[in-house]
Amino acid sequence: MTPTRTPELAEPSDELGALAELAAQGFAGMVGQVQELHGAIAERSFGPTGAASGPPRAVHDAIAGAVYAGVRGAGALLGAGLARSVRAAGGGPRISDDARGRLAQGALNGLVGDRLEADGNALAVGMAVRVGGRDVACDSEALARAFGAEVSGAPVVFVHGLCESDAAWAIRAERHGGTTYMSRVVAPAPVGRTPVTVRYNSGVAVAENGRRLSALLEALCAAWPVEVERLALVGHSMGGLVIRAAGHAATAEGHGWPARVDTTVSLGTPHRGAPLAQAARFATAALDLTPESRAVGTVLRTRSAGIQDLAHALDVPLIAGARHHAVAATVTADHRHPLGRMVGDLLVLTPSAHGIEATLRHVGSHDHFDLLNSPAVDDLLRAWLGGS
């Protein structure tokens, strides 16, 4: 019951041109931050801009301003020229046609995806069902073609985490004979359900992604080739938060899909916030205390809305009527080990991953990304998705 979509030829796109423009913008932003730092140091040396600072400060500012403006202008012209060349040549292949390209695009969207979307950049990804690295429209005909004639009435939707994409579920697959949870656990007997992967822009706020996922699941259930009898949702990291936000959004929008949900699973989800995101928030405030460090604080402040959301616990109810399960990992075999308590899976601590009313399980000697595709989780998923 795994997807049987016929491979399609790669289509030209604007992704390479958009990447060239983004590189130029990133260069300009970096130059601006260096200029801000330079200005803070100059203020320490000469004093504030004005008559009291005298001719040396005025001369310094004029020369420095001209240099920085010239560097920014050259970078912008180079990026625009490269983008025009790529588009004149037909646009080139999609970055997302390759699994490694999808991983890179997912990481980029996690870091600055909210801004990519606001700018209309072609590298911003939309929320969609994915098969074979391509979007699949939520209409009966497209879904039937993508998932085959033997599609089941019990889909399992996999929602990736921050800076990830649909390709993330195959990370480290070479260690497991090229298999994933989808091919190894979900599709075969005794589970026998249909795996569905979703991609979304993880740089967008969790609440907004929840609204989008709710709308997608409503459309998916309405257009699924057979009647949806049971729906399961599996989220890694931020994906678990987006699933919870989707359930909350469904109530506000009057969507019916939550009534079909029998199981949710969160793998390394920071239900009570992630330490690194929390540290970034405090570091930003500290860096604002001196002019010289303020430029560094600017970099931290420009992290995406999605990253900023990970600093806080998500305060929305779980989907009513479903069975909920949460898996935490630690790099140590025993979660009670002092190191395991301190660093968790390197990104999420056990109390946060276990921060919901759910069946709680621990997997030792695993890091955060091991949870994307680990045989140590197989039996748990097999039991939970099989209805045990």
Side-chain angles (χ1 to χ4, degrees), residues 76-348:
L77 287 173
L78 181 62
L82 181 58
R84 282 195 299 271
S85 298
V86 169
R87 286 164 181 150
R94 295 179 185 276
I95 295 171
S96 53
D97 282 341
D98 179 78
R100 291 167 297 184
R102 291 196 294 278
L103 290 171
Q105 190 176 14
L108 180 65
N109 274 256
L111 293 171
V112 293
D114 51 348
R115 278 171 284 160
L116 293 178
E117 185 174 291
D119 293 342
N121 190 290
L123 290 170
V125 302
M127 182 168 286
V129 171
R130 302 277 288 178
V131 173
R134 295 295 184 91
D135 291 357
V136 177
C138 278
D139 65 66
S140 298
E141 201 172 297
L143 291 170
R145 282 198 308 268
F147 289 93
E150 296 184 2
V151 64
S152 79
V156 180
V157 177
F158 285 80
V159 185
H160 64 74
L162 176 70
C163 291
E164 297 171 3
S165 75
D166 51 303
W169 298 103
I171 284 178
R172 301 171 185 170
E174 70 281 355
R175 301 182 187 178
H176 315 306
T179 61
T180 65
Y181 293 138
M182 295 78 167
S183 63
R184 194 171 62 241
V185 177
V186 177
V191 176
R193 300 178 71 157
T194 305
V196 179
T197 56
V198 166
R199 182 176 72 162
Y200 68 98
N201 183 340
S202 61
V204 171
V206 167
E208 175 58 28
N209 273 322
R211 285 188 285 272
R212 295 176 186 182
L213 179 59
S214 182
L216 182 73
L217 292 174
E218 188 77 352
L220 181 73
C221 288
W224 196 244
V226 299
E227 181 68 21
V228 176
E229 300 168 353
R230 295 183 297 149
L231 175 64
L233 306 171
V234 179
H236 176 251
S237 193
M238 178 189 279
L241 300 180
V242 173
I243 289 170
R244 289 179 59 194
H248 182 63
T251 300
E253 298 295 330
H255 291 161
W257 63 264
R260 304 173 189 260
V261 177
D262 65 320
T263 306
T264 74
V265 180
S266 60
L267 305 172
T269 294
H271 294 288
R272 296 183 181 174
L276 287 179
Q278 293 163 345
R281 183 178 59 174
F282 292 124
T284 300
L287 289 167
D288 278 344
L289 296 177
T290 66
E292 292 88 343
S293 62
R294 199 165 292 138
V296 182
T298 300
V299 176
L300 288 180
R301 271 193 302 276
T302 57
R303 64 196 187 278
S304 70
I307 293 176
Q308 292 180 55
D309 281 347
L310 294 183
H312 313 283
L314 183 63
D315 186 22
V316 297
L318 300 176
I319 296 171
R323 297 183 299 272
H324 303 285
H325 312 276
V327 178
T330 56
V331 294
T332 56
D334 187 343
H335 66 92
R336 293 166 297 187
H337 189 285
L339 180 61
R341 288 175 177 271
M342 184 180 300
V343 302
D345 65 12
L346 298 181
L347 292 179
V348 178

